[in-house]
mmCIF file of all heavy atoms in Angstrom:
data_model
loop_
_atom_site.group_PDB
_atom_site.id
_atom_site.type_symbol
_atom_site.label_atom_id
_atom_site.label_comp_id
_atom_site.label_asym_id
_atom_site.label_seq_id
_atom_site.Cartn_x
_atom_site.Cartn_y
_atom_site.Cartn_z
ATOM 1 N N GLU A 160 37.477 -16.829 102.470
ATOM 2 C CA GLU A 160 38.457 -17.724 103.085
ATOM 3 C C GLU A 160 37.765 -18.965 103.643
ATOM 4 O O GLU A 160 38.318 -20.065 103.619
ATOM 5 C CB GLU A 160 39.197 -16.983 104.206
ATOM 6 C CG GLU A 160 40.242 -17.845 104.899
ATOM 7 C CD GLU A 160 40.905 -17.125 106.051
ATOM 8 O OE1 GLU A 160 40.868 -15.871 106.087
ATOM 9 O OE2 GLU A 160 41.466 -17.808 106.931
ATOM 10 N N ALA A 161 36.546 -18.804 104.134
ATOM 11 C CA ALA A 161 35.801 -19.925 104.702
ATOM 12 C C ALA A 161 35.536 -21.009 103.654
ATOM 13 O O ALA A 161 35.670 -22.208 103.924
ATOM 14 C CB ALA A 161 34.496 -19.444 105.299
ATOM 15 N N ILE A 162 35.174 -20.585 102.442
ATOM 16 C CA ILE A 162 34.930 -21.545 101.358
ATOM 17 C C ILE A 162 36.227 -22.252 100.981
ATOM 18 O O ILE A 162 36.255 -23.461 100.752
ATOM 19 C CB ILE A 162 34.313 -20.837 100.138
ATOM 20 C CG1 ILE A 162 32.906 -20.343 100.470
ATOM 21 C CG2 ILE A 162 34.285 -21.773 98.928
ATOM 22 C CD1 ILE A 162 32.239 -19.578 99.345
ATOM 23 N N LEU A 163 37.321 -21.496 100.958
ATOM 24 C CA LEU A 163 38.614 -22.078 100.640
ATOM 25 C C LEU A 163 39.020 -23.129 101.667
ATOM 26 O O LEU A 163 39.489 -24.224 101.323
ATOM 27 C CB LEU A 163 39.673 -20.960 100.562
ATOM 28 C CG LEU A 163 41.030 -21.314 99.948
ATOM 29 C CD1 LEU A 163 40.870 -21.801 98.519
ATOM 30 C CD2 LEU A 163 41.961 -20.103 100.002
ATOM 31 N N ARG A 164 38.809 -22.820 102.933
ATOM 32 C CA ARG A 164 39.122 -23.781 104.004
ATOM 33 C C ARG A 164 38.249 -25.028 103.887
ATOM 34 O O ARG A 164 38.739 -26.158 104.041
ATOM 35 C CB ARG A 164 38.932 -23.117 105.368
ATOM 36 C CG ARG A 164 40.013 -22.129 105.756
ATOM 37 C CD ARG A 164 39.813 -21.613 107.159
ATOM 38 N NE ARG A 164 40.871 -20.703 107.567
ATOM 39 C CZ ARG A 164 42.037 -21.098 108.087
ATOM 40 N NH1 ARG A 164 42.258 -22.409 108.282
ATOM 41 N NH2 ARG A 164 42.962 -20.227 108.419
ATOM 42 N N LYS A 165 36.969 -24.835 103.635
ATOM 43 C CA LYS A 165 36.070 -25.972 103.541
ATOM 44 C C LYS A 165 36.449 -26.882 102.378
ATOM 45 O O LYS A 165 36.331 -28.122 102.471
ATOM 46 C CB LYS A 165 34.631 -25.492 103.388
ATOM 47 C CG LYS A 165 33.607 -26.606 103.441
ATOM 48 C CD LYS A 165 32.184 -26.066 103.467
ATOM 49 C CE LYS A 165 31.188 -27.211 103.581
ATOM 50 N NZ LYS A 165 29.765 -26.719 103.633
ATOM 51 N N PHE A 166 36.918 -26.287 101.279
ATOM 52 C CA PHE A 166 37.317 -27.074 100.115
ATOM 53 C C PHE A 166 38.439 -28.045 100.489
ATOM 54 O O PHE A 166 38.438 -29.202 100.075
ATOM 55 C CB PHE A 166 37.769 -26.135 98.997
ATOM 56 C CG PHE A 166 38.265 -26.822 97.759
ATOM 57 C CD1 PHE A 166 37.381 -27.349 96.840
ATOM 58 C CD2 PHE A 166 39.628 -26.949 97.529
ATOM 59 C CE1 PHE A 166 37.831 -27.990 95.686
ATOM 60 C CE2 PHE A 166 40.093 -27.589 96.383
ATOM 61 C CZ PHE A 166 39.185 -28.115 95.465
ATOM 62 N N TYR A 167 39.407 -27.564 101.292
ATOM 63 C CA TYR A 167 40.556 -28.401 101.628
ATOM 64 C C TYR A 167 40.312 -29.264 102.864
ATOM 65 O O TYR A 167 41.194 -30.023 103.272
ATOM 66 C CB TYR A 167 41.800 -27.526 101.816
ATOM 67 C CG TYR A 167 42.335 -27.040 100.493
ATOM 68 C CD1 TYR A 167 42.243 -25.705 100.115
ATOM 69 C CD2 TYR A 167 42.912 -27.951 99.589
ATOM 70 C CE1 TYR A 167 42.716 -25.281 98.879
ATOM 71 C CE2 TYR A 167 43.375 -27.528 98.366
ATOM 72 C CZ TYR A 167 43.271 -26.198 98.008
ATOM 73 O OH TYR A 167 43.734 -25.794 96.779
ATOM 74 N N GLN A 168 39.124 -29.199 103.410
ATOM 75 C CA GLN A 168 38.756 -30.143 104.458
ATOM 76 C C GLN A 168 38.383 -31.496 103.871
ATOM 77 O O GLN A 168 38.357 -32.509 104.561
ATOM 78 C CB GLN A 168 37.595 -29.593 105.287
ATOM 79 C CG GLN A 168 37.978 -28.456 106.201
ATOM 80 C CD GLN A 168 36.784 -27.832 106.910
ATOM 81 O OE1 GLN A 168 35.649 -28.237 106.701
ATOM 82 N NE2 GLN A 168 37.056 -26.844 107.760
ATOM 83 N N SER A 169 38.088 -31.513 102.584
ATOM 84 C CA SER A 169 37.768 -32.755 101.898
ATOM 85 C C SER A 169 39.036 -33.580 101.698
ATOM 86 O O SER A 169 40.098 -33.047 101.337
ATOM 87 C CB SER A 169 37.105 -32.468 100.535
ATOM 88 O OG SER A 169 36.995 -33.648 99.776
ATOM 89 N N VAL A 170 38.945 -34.879 101.917
ATOM 90 C CA VAL A 170 40.115 -35.753 101.768
ATOM 91 C C VAL A 170 40.554 -35.845 100.314
ATOM 92 O O VAL A 170 41.681 -36.268 100.019
ATOM 93 C CB VAL A 170 39.792 -37.174 102.300
ATOM 94 C CG1 VAL A 170 39.556 -37.121 103.799
ATOM 95 C CG2 VAL A 170 38.583 -37.765 101.584
ATOM 96 N N GLU A 171 39.688 -35.432 99.382
ATOM 97 C CA GLU A 171 40.023 -35.499 97.960
ATOM 98 C C GLU A 171 40.948 -34.357 97.537
ATOM 99 O O GLU A 171 41.557 -34.427 96.463
ATOM 100 C CB GLU A 171 38.754 -35.461 97.116
ATOM 101 C CG GLU A 171 37.809 -36.632 97.372
ATOM 102 C CD GLU A 171 36.527 -36.518 96.572
ATOM 103 O OE1 GLU A 171 36.319 -35.436 95.943
ATOM 104 O OE2 GLU A 171 35.748 -37.479 96.567
ATOM 105 N N ASN A 172 41.037 -33.300 98.334
ATOM 106 C CA ASN A 172 41.827 -32.125 97.984
ATOM 107 C C ASN A 172 42.960 -31.938 98.984
ATOM 108 O O ASN A 172 42.726 -31.955 100.203
ATOM 109 C CB ASN A 172 40.926 -30.884 97.960
ATOM 110 C CG ASN A 172 39.702 -31.100 97.081
ATOM 111 O OD1 ASN A 172 39.805 -31.596 95.956
ATOM 112 N ND2 ASN A 172 38.534 -30.736 97.587
ATOM 113 N N GLN A 173 44.161 -31.737 98.462
ATOM 114 C CA GLN A 173 45.340 -31.651 99.313
ATOM 115 C C GLN A 173 45.976 -30.260 99.252
ATOM 116 O O GLN A 173 46.325 -29.772 98.185
ATOM 117 C CB GLN A 173 46.375 -32.704 98.878
ATOM 118 C CG GLN A 173 45.882 -34.141 98.971
ATOM 119 C CD GLN A 173 45.579 -34.552 100.398
ATOM 120 O OE1 GLN A 173 46.313 -34.214 101.333
ATOM 121 N NE2 GLN A 173 44.465 -35.271 100.575
ATOM 122 N N ASN A 174 46.122 -29.638 100.416
ATOM 123 C CA ASN A 174 46.765 -28.330 100.536
ATOM 124 C C ASN A 174 48.107 -28.514 101.232
ATOM 125 O O ASN A 174 48.176 -28.666 102.456
ATOM 126 C CB ASN A 174 45.871 -27.367 101.334
ATOM 127 C CG ASN A 174 46.609 -26.105 101.726
ATOM 128 O OD1 ASN A 174 47.564 -25.698 101.063
ATOM 129 N ND2 ASN A 174 46.178 -25.483 102.826
ATOM 130 N N TYR A 175 49.182 -28.513 100.448
ATOM 131 C CA TYR A 175 50.514 -28.724 101.000
ATOM 132 C C TYR A 175 51.134 -27.423 101.518
ATOM 133 O O TYR A 175 52.251 -27.430 102.012
ATOM 134 C CB TYR A 175 51.429 -29.349 99.946
ATOM 135 C CG TYR A 175 51.072 -30.790 99.648
ATOM 136 C CD1 TYR A 175 50.338 -31.119 98.520
ATOM 137 C CD2 TYR A 175 51.463 -31.813 100.509
ATOM 138 C CE1 TYR A 175 49.993 -32.437 98.246
ATOM 139 C CE2 TYR A 175 51.114 -33.132 100.248
ATOM 140 C CZ TYR A 175 50.385 -33.440 99.126
ATOM 141 O OH TYR A 175 50.040 -34.757 98.864
ATOM 142 N N LEU A 176 50.417 -26.319 101.412
ATOM 143 C CA LEU A 176 50.914 -25.036 101.911
ATOM 144 C C LEU A 176 50.457 -24.781 103.339
ATOM 145 O O LEU A 176 50.975 -23.869 104.007
ATOM 146 C CB LEU A 176 50.452 -23.895 101.000
ATOM 147 C CG LEU A 176 50.917 -23.951 99.544
ATOM 148 C CD1 LEU A 176 50.335 -22.801 98.761
ATOM 149 C CD2 LEU A 176 52.427 -23.925 99.463
ATOM 150 N N GLY A 177 49.457 -25.499 103.787
ATOM 151 C CA GLY A 177 48.949 -25.317 105.145
ATOM 152 C C GLY A 177 48.350 -23.939 105.351
ATOM 153 O O GLY A 177 47.720 -23.370 104.451
ATOM 154 N N GLU A 178 48.585 -23.376 106.529
ATOM 155 C CA GLU A 178 48.015 -22.071 106.877
ATOM 156 C C GLU A 178 48.586 -20.944 106.040
ATOM 157 O O GLU A 178 47.991 -19.870 105.946
ATOM 158 C CB GLU A 178 48.246 -21.776 108.361
ATOM 159 C CG GLU A 178 47.343 -22.541 109.306
ATOM 160 C CD GLU A 178 45.885 -22.179 109.107
ATOM 161 O OE1 GLU A 178 45.570 -20.978 108.987
ATOM 162 O OE2 GLU A 178 45.060 -23.099 109.053
ATOM 163 N N VAL A 179 49.749 -21.189 105.418
ATOM 164 C CA VAL A 179 50.352 -20.163 104.561
ATOM 165 C C VAL A 179 49.382 -19.771 103.440
ATOM 166 O O VAL A 179 49.291 -18.593 103.059
ATOM 167 C CB VAL A 179 51.679 -20.670 103.969
ATOM 168 C CG1 VAL A 179 52.211 -19.696 102.913
ATOM 169 C CG2 VAL A 179 52.695 -20.858 105.069
ATOM 170 N N LEU A 180 48.637 -20.754 102.920
ATOM 171 C CA LEU A 180 47.680 -20.469 101.849
ATOM 172 C C LEU A 180 46.602 -19.502 102.322
ATOM 173 O O LEU A 180 46.307 -18.503 101.659
ATOM 174 C CB LEU A 180 47.041 -21.770 101.367
ATOM 175 C CG LEU A 180 45.850 -21.598 100.405
ATOM 176 C CD1 LEU A 180 46.303 -20.938 99.110
ATOM 177 C CD2 LEU A 180 45.180 -22.941 100.135
ATOM 178 N N PHE A 181 46.021 -19.793 103.450
ATOM 179 C CA PHE A 181 44.908 -18.970 103.944
ATOM 180 C C PHE A 181 45.378 -17.593 104.389
ATOM 181 O O PHE A 181 44.714 -16.586 104.140
ATOM 182 C CB PHE A 181 44.192 -19.696 105.083
ATOM 183 C CG PHE A 181 43.775 -21.096 104.730
ATOM 184 C CD1 PHE A 181 44.309 -22.184 105.399
ATOM 185 C CD2 PHE A 181 42.900 -21.332 103.688
ATOM 186 C CE1 PHE A 181 43.951 -23.484 105.069
ATOM 187 C CE2 PHE A 181 42.537 -22.624 103.333
ATOM 188 C CZ PHE A 181 43.061 -23.704 104.022
ATOM 189 N N ASP A 182 46.536 -17.544 105.046
ATOM 190 C CA ASP A 182 47.099 -16.243 105.431
ATOM 191 C C ASP A 182 47.423 -15.408 104.196
ATOM 192 O O ASP A 182 47.156 -14.198 104.155
ATOM 193 C CB ASP A 182 48.361 -16.446 106.278
ATOM 194 C CG ASP A 182 48.072 -17.062 107.639
ATOM 195 O OD1 ASP A 182 46.907 -16.999 108.082
ATOM 196 O OD2 ASP A 182 49.004 -17.612 108.246
ATOM 197 N N GLY A 183 48.017 -16.063 103.188
ATOM 198 C CA GLY A 183 48.382 -15.342 101.972
ATOM 199 C C GLY A 183 47.161 -14.846 101.226
ATOM 200 O O GLY A 183 47.144 -13.727 100.719
ATOM 201 N N PHE A 184 46.122 -15.675 101.152
ATOM 202 C CA PHE A 184 44.884 -15.292 100.473
ATOM 203 C C PHE A 184 44.257 -14.072 101.155
ATOM 204 O O PHE A 184 43.853 -13.107 100.487
ATOM 205 C CB PHE A 184 43.904 -16.469 100.486
ATOM 206 C CG PHE A 184 42.547 -16.160 99.938
ATOM 207 C CD1 PHE A 184 42.346 -15.985 98.577
ATOM 208 C CD2 PHE A 184 41.455 -16.044 100.789
ATOM 209 C CE1 PHE A 184 41.093 -15.692 98.058
ATOM 210 C CE2 PHE A 184 40.189 -15.767 100.276
ATOM 211 C CZ PHE A 184 40.006 -15.588 98.919
ATOM 212 N N ARG A 185 44.209 -14.112 102.470
ATOM 213 C CA ARG A 185 43.606 -13.003 103.234
ATOM 214 C C ARG A 185 44.422 -11.726 103.083
ATOM 215 O O ARG A 185 43.878 -10.649 102.800
ATOM 216 C CB ARG A 185 43.512 -13.404 104.707
ATOM 217 C CG ARG A 185 42.786 -12.397 105.591
ATOM 218 C CD ARG A 185 42.897 -12.750 107.080
ATOM 219 N NE ARG A 185 42.856 -14.177 107.297
ATOM 220 C CZ ARG A 185 43.898 -14.880 107.766
ATOM 221 N NH1 ARG A 185 45.048 -14.269 108.024
ATOM 222 N NH2 ARG A 185 43.775 -16.188 107.985
ATOM 223 N N ASN A 186 45.742 -11.836 103.222
ATOM 224 C CA ASN A 186 46.598 -10.647 103.158
ATOM 225 C C ASN A 186 46.668 -10.068 101.748
ATOM 226 O O ASN A 186 46.767 -8.846 101.574
ATOM 227 C CB ASN A 186 48.007 -11.004 103.647
ATOM 228 C CG ASN A 186 48.038 -11.313 105.132
ATOM 229 O OD1 ASN A 186 47.229 -10.777 105.893
ATOM 230 N ND2 ASN A 186 48.946 -12.187 105.550
ATOM 231 N N LEU A 187 46.622 -10.951 100.746
ATOM 232 C CA LEU A 187 46.628 -10.481 99.361
ATOM 233 C C LEU A 187 45.441 -9.565 99.096
ATOM 234 O O LEU A 187 45.595 -8.470 98.541
ATOM 235 C CB LEU A 187 46.596 -11.670 98.401
ATOM 236 C CG LEU A 187 46.400 -11.350 96.920
ATOM 237 C CD1 LEU A 187 47.551 -10.516 96.390
ATOM 238 C CD2 LEU A 187 46.244 -12.637 96.111
ATOM 239 N N ASN A 188 44.263 -9.996 99.509
ATOM 240 C CA ASN A 188 43.077 -9.180 99.251
ATOM 241 C C ASN A 188 43.029 -7.936 100.120
ATOM 242 O O ASN A 188 42.506 -6.898 99.707
ATOM 243 C CB ASN A 188 41.818 -10.037 99.436
ATOM 244 C CG ASN A 188 41.493 -10.862 98.203
ATOM 245 O OD1 ASN A 188 41.789 -10.466 97.080
ATOM 246 N ND2 ASN A 188 40.888 -12.025 98.396
#
Side-chain angles (χ1 to χ4, degrees):
E160 180 183 339
I162 293 177
L163 193 59
R164 285 184 178 275
K165 187 173 182 179
F166 178 79
Y167 285 110
Q168 287 174 359
S169 171
V170 294
E171 299 177 351
N172 308 313
Q173 300 296 319
N174 168 26
Y175 289 100
L176 299 177
E178 285 297 315
V179 172
L180 171 63
F181 308 117
D182 293 340
F184 174 73
R185 185 188 324 113
N186 292 330
L187 172 63
N188 278 329

